[in-house]
Amino acid sequence: MTRRHSGQWALPVPEEPPAEVDVLIPTYGREAELAVTLSGLAAQDGPAFSVTISDQTNGDPPSDHPAVAAMVRVLRAQGRKVRLERHLPRQGMAEQRDFLLGLANAPLVLFLDNDIWLEPGMLARMFAAIRETGCGFIGAAVQGLSYLDDERPQEQEPFELWEGPIQPERVRRTDERFARWTLHNAANLTHIARSLEIPDGEWRLYKVAWVGGCVLYDRAKLVECGGFEFWKDLPAAHAGEDVVAQLRIMERYGGAGILPSGAVHLEAPTTVTDRSTEASEVILDE
């Protein structure tokens, strides 16, 4: 379903087929950033998607903020279903993601952090890539545009395109392939995309260690690989829960990053300040 244009906003929203993608947004605070994130979603056309926001803010929820409320109204006027959830107490990001995944029904789920703006057409490119390849996930690594003039050739050295079908890979933190994580620093992918000269609307897939912030999963494959149920084995203060989920999926179904990445990091301070436990070191065997 394409978004309804403004001339249709006052009309009743017709009954639409089920969403092809459930966009899942965990949030804590960050009213301004969440509003920008929702504005990026409002600029997307197909595929048909819904939005679920799980809020763990103490005090007034971000959805009460005028900018966030306005963007929720825009999405709904466009014909998108938006679900607002309050999910407390906070028990860590893995539990928050597990809660969101449990609310999803669509065959694909996009886990989108609350500080990312998507350029128009980004969701459609990711959707086309995962449908064409049949892999477990497609990630659009977030770009910090304050680093556009900061070229880092050494960090770009692990870059490798997928040639042919995406294959399963077993990657762990001790593996040399985990060094691919440097590709996602600063604006490295923006510089790599420039060198590839990818035509507008097209895309290329490359090999990753993992992707943070904006990842489109095949929901059935994610659930089959355990989803985020491992939150029960972690303290609330942890990081790297997305690393665990993606490494498990890569081992069975493969996964890839997509270029160009139109996922822009708003470069706000992190709200996950206690990272004393790295989830992959607890959950995964080497």
Side-chain angles (χ1 to χ4, degrees):
M1 181 192 75
T2 58
R3 54 194 162 121
R4 301 199 312 167
H5 67 81
S6 53
Q8 300 172 310
W9 289 352
L11 296 173
V13 177
E15 188 66 28
E16 295 289 342
E20 296 175 281
V21 178
D22 285 333
V23 180
L24 308 177
I25 304 176
T27 195
Y28 173 75
R30 285 182 168 171
E31 295 91 345
E33 292 85 353
L34 179 60
V36 173
T37 298
L38 295 178
S39 75
L41 289 173
Q44 307 300 311
D45 285 310
F49 67 88
S50 69
V51 180
T52 300
I53 301 170
S54 177
D55 171 42
Q56 295 190 314
T57 305
N58 297 317
D60 295 335
S63 57
D64 288 350
H65 189 277
V68 176
M71 294 315 305
V72 169
R73 289 192 291 269
V74 167
L75 284 161
R76 286 172 172 166
Q78 291 177 337
R80 314 298 189 189
K81 292 182 179 179
V82 181
R83 179 174 180 174
L84 304 174
E85 292 283 342
R86 291 277 276 173
H87 183 56
L88 291 168
R90 297 176 72 194
Q91 299 180 74
M93 280 302 303
E95 191 276 340
Q96 169 81 309
R97 293 187 190 278
D98 183 62
F99 171 73
L100 276 163
L101 184 59
L103 299 177
N105 295 301
L108 301 173
V109 293
L110 175 68
F111 272 99
L112 183 65
D113 283 1
N114 66 348
D115 60 345
I116 297 169
W117 177 83
L118 294 182
E119 73 166 334
M122 188 69 244
L123 182 58
R125 293 202 301 272
M126 298 177 75
F127 180 81
I130 201 166
R131 284 298 194 216
E132 181 174 312
T133 62
C135 67
F137 70 84
I138 297 291
V142 298
Q143 302 301 287
L145 297 189
S146 68
Y147 296 91
L148 277 179
D149 296 327
D150 182 1
E151 296 265 3
R152 303 183 180 187
Q154 187 172 359
E155 291 187 351
Q156 298 172 26
E157 288 180 2
F159 180 75
E160 183 180 358
L161 285 170
W162 275 107
E163 303 289 353
I166 294 174
Q167 301 293 333
E169 293 186 288
R170 188 183 191 279
V171 177
R172 293 293 185 266
R173 299 182 71 88
T174 55
D175 192 308
E176 63 180 13
R177 290 172 296 182
F178 199 79
R180 298 170 183 164
W181 70 268
T182 63
L183 297 171
H184 300 161
N185 285 345
N188 285 337
L189 289 186
T190 304
H191 300 136
I192 293 172
R194 175 194 60 199
S195 67
L196 293 176
E197 299 181 346
I198 302 169
D200 185 29
E202 296 186 16
W203 40 269
R204 303 288 184 271
L205 301 180
Y206 66 97
K207 299 180 181 182
V208 298
W210 63 283
V211 185
C214 179
V215 183
L216 182 64
Y217 295 92
D218 180 303
R219 183 171 65 89
K221 292 181 172 66
L222 175 57
V223 171
E224 182 184 332
C225 293
F228 297 92
E229 291 182 348
F230 56 83
W231 72 267
K232 301 166 188 175
D233 299 320
L234 292 171
H238 64 259
E241 75 291 335
D242 45 355
V243 180
V244 172
Q246 290 173 39
L247 293 187
R248 283 177 164 177
I249 293 174
M250 285 171 61
E251 189 169 354
R252 190 172 301 182
Y253 295 108
I258 190 169
L259 281 176
S261 174
V264 177
H265 189 222
L266 302 183
E267 302 184 54
T270 182
T271 57
V272 182
T273 55
D274 189 342
R275 297 169 174 264
S276 53
T277 297
E278 172 56 49
S280 64
E281 294 178 353
V282 176
I283 303 299
L284 297 179
D285 61 324
E286 293 297 334

